[in-house]
């Protein structure tokens, strides 16, 4: 029996919770210290001469939103942008090393330069001049209504766009990047996701594993096993997440999606995705499963029953393949 099977068995016994390991305790304290340091860095920056209006954002509003993300990484708002890769990676990094992400955010805000581990570069002046808040107001006020409802946060947009600009060699549609699938990495190729996580400097290894129909249920469960030492990303067709969450049936359910899984009790998954509000433009609404408890006492995200047969079903289209990305953290 694997370690994950033992954990699942223990969790299924009333009142039984595995004791915290020494490595898990070190990791928890490290993340807590990084979170505290990140908040201090934001406060110090706000009092500095470099705190000036950039990216069409006032320094106070920028700092306030950045603090929200430090305290609750699941609130990172992907909104209608096709950036689930960047949202997922940033959620993991913000949870594990918020101080590093805050340094990245401040540098990007102040200078337009990208610096996160080995991820370096500089965004274009067009991107810095793009007023995402104004763009959204214009889109939502169109007559007749265009059927979209987006809640993109300018700070979140900036953080994701910085990574997107680096990965896509600066290519973003500035006249309206929402729902533009060209402004996203090819999700059928997980190499960019793997390389992005490795380049962050936080992980010792990142391994994509394809889920196959021949895999046993236990093998799949063992793969989707987040822990203090491993971050797990699940890649599957959008319908898996939409149907699993019982969202309204009018959703188009097209494409694939990638999410960080932050809990698996053997029956249900808890994962972070999309941000802290439903996306009605995708036909998604809060069905009551929003904000379940997740790891480290942080609440938020989504909860769904794990449908292993659906994950293992035979597919003929490679774009419908299911993958698990296992990112192992460097020792705390």
């Amino acid at each position: 029996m694997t370690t994950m099977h033992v954990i699942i068995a223990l969790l299924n016994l009333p009142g039984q919770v595995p004791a915290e390991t020494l490595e898990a305790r070190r990791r928890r304290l490290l993340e807590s210290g990084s979170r505290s340091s990140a908040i201090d860095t934001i406060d110090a920056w706000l009092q500095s001469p470099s705190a000036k209006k950039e990216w069409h954002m006032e320094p106070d509003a920028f700092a306030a939103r950045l603090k929200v993300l430090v305290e609750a990484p699941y609130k990172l708002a992907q909104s209608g942008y096709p950036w689930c890769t960047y949202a997922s990676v940033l959620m993991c990094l913000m949870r594990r090393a918020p101080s590093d992400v805050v340094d990245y955010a401040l540098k990007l805000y102040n200078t337009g330069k990208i610096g996160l581990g080995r991820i370096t570069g500089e965004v274009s002046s067009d991107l810095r001049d793009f007023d995402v808040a104004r763009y959204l107001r214009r889109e939502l006020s169109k007559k007749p209504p265009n059927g979209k409802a987006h809640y993109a946060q300018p700070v979140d947009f900036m953080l994701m766009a910085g990574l997107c600009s680096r990965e896509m060699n600066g290519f973003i549609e500035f006249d309206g990047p929402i729902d533009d699938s060209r402004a996203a990495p090819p999700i059928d190729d997980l190499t960019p996701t793997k390389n992005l996580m490795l380049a962050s400097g936080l992980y010792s290894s990142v391994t994509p594993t394809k889920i196959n129909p021949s895999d046993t249920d236990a093998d799949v469960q063992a793969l989707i096993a987040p822990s203090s030492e491993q971050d797990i990303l699940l890649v599957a067709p959008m319908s898996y997440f939409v149907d699993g969450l019982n969202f309204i049936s009018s959703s188009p359910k097209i494409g694939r999606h990638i999410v960080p899984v932050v809990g698996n009790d053997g029956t249900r998954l808890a994962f972070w995705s999309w941000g802290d509000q439903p996306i009605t433009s995708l036909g998604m609404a809060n069905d009551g499963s929003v904000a379940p408890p997740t790891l480290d006492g942080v609440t938020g995200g989504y909860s769904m029953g794990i449908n292993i047969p659906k994950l293992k079903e035979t597919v003929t289209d490679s774009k419908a393949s299911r993958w698990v990305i296992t990112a192992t953290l460097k020792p705390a």
Side-chain angles (χ1 to χ4, degrees):
M1 182 177 284
T2 68
T3 301
M4 183 54 193
H5 300 153
V6 172
I7 292 174
I8 291 174
L10 287 172
L11 288 174
N12 285 332
L13 293 175
Q16 300 300 311
V17 178
E20 184 179 45
T21 65
L22 179 60
E23 177 65 20
R25 182 174 184 275
R26 287 173 178 165
R27 177 68 57 190
R28 177 170 53 81
L29 294 176
L30 181 65
E31 292 167 7
S32 177
S34 181
R35 192 171 299 113
S36 177
S37 175
I39 295 296
D40 290 345
T41 297
I42 296 170
D43 286 336
W45 171 82
L46 199 54
Q47 302 303 316
S48 71
S50 61
K52 300 176 182 178
K53 184 176 181 179
E54 299 286 355
W55 294 74
H56 300 279
M57 288 182 265
E58 295 292 342
D60 287 350
F62 170 74
R65 178 61 183 175
L66 199 52
K67 285 184 180 180
V68 168
L69 297 179
V70 168
E71 297 292 350
Y74 76 91
K75 289 189 175 183
L76 186 82
Q78 179 190 333
S79 187
Y81 294 92
W83 290 348
C84 54
T85 292
Y86 308 121
S88 295
V89 173
L90 280 167
M91 285 176 185
C92 291
L93 298 182
M94 187 67 85
R95 174 186 165 214
R96 299 297 195 175
S99 188
D100 291 351
V101 180
V102 164
D103 288 343
Y104 158 72
L106 293 177
K107 184 174 184 178
L108 187 60
Y109 178 88
N110 285 332
T111 69
K113 294 184 178 180
I114 302 165
L116 182 58
R118 300 190 306 277
I119 305 170
T120 59
E122 185 171 4
V123 301
S124 68
S125 58
D126 285 344
L127 180 54
R128 296 184 73 184
D129 289 340
F130 178 67
D131 188 341
V132 63
R134 181 174 178 272
Y135 166 72
L136 291 174
R137 287 195 299 270
R138 186 183 73 227
E139 285 296 295
L140 297 178
S141 64
K142 284 183 177 178
K143 301 296 181 180
N146 62 4
K148 297 182 185 297
H150 296 282
Y151 59 99
Q153 294 274 356
V155 175
D156 307 35
F157 170 86
M158 183 196 78
L159 295 177
M160 291 184 290
L163 295 185
C164 178
S165 180
R166 190 258 191 183
E167 288 294 308
M168 302 296 289
N169 295 319
F171 177 79
I172 299 179
E173 291 288 316
F174 296 104
D175 60 342
I178 285 181
D179 295 328
D180 185 351
S181 60
R182 294 174 298 172
I187 199 167
D188 302 313
D189 178 8
L190 297 179
T191 302
T193 307
K194 174 182 176 179
N195 290 344
L196 194 62
M197 299 186 83
L198 286 173
S200 73
L202 194 62
Y203 302 97
S204 60
S205 65
V206 179
T207 306
T209 305
K210 187 176 181 180
I211 298 176
N212 296 300
S214 58
D215 294 338
T216 67
D217 290 2
D219 287 339
V220 176
Q221 281 281 22
L223 270 179
I224 313 174
S227 69
S228 60
E229 292 82 31
Q230 290 186 331
D231 286 337
I232 299 296
L233 302 184
L234 176 62
V235 183
M238 179 69 76
S239 60
Y240 179 86
F241 302 100
V242 176
D243 291 340
L245 287 164
N246 299 314
F247 283 131
I248 56 180
S249 59
S250 60
S251 169
K253 305 178 187 176
I254 59 174
R256 290 207 295 167
H257 193 45
I258 181 170
V259 302
V261 178
V262 293
N264 178 3
D265 65 3
T267 303
R268 298 183 69 81
L269 298 179
F271 62 92
W272 292 349
S273 185
W274 298 305
D276 55 352
Q277 295 185 38
I279 307 177
T280 56
S281 66
L282 293 179
M284 297 181 180
N286 180 355
D287 71 338
S289 293
V290 175
T294 62
L295 297 184
D296 306 327
V298 177
T299 59
Y302 299 82
S303 178
M304 61 179 281
I306 178 170
N307 190 333
I308 292 182
K310 192 75 172 177
L311 278 178
K312 295 196 303 178
E313 69 181 10
T314 301
V315 295
T316 56
D317 182 356
S318 62
K319 295 182 180 180
S321 298
R322 294 92 161 110
W323 294 81
V324 172
I325 299 176
T326 303
T328 302
L329 291 137
K330 292 180 178 179

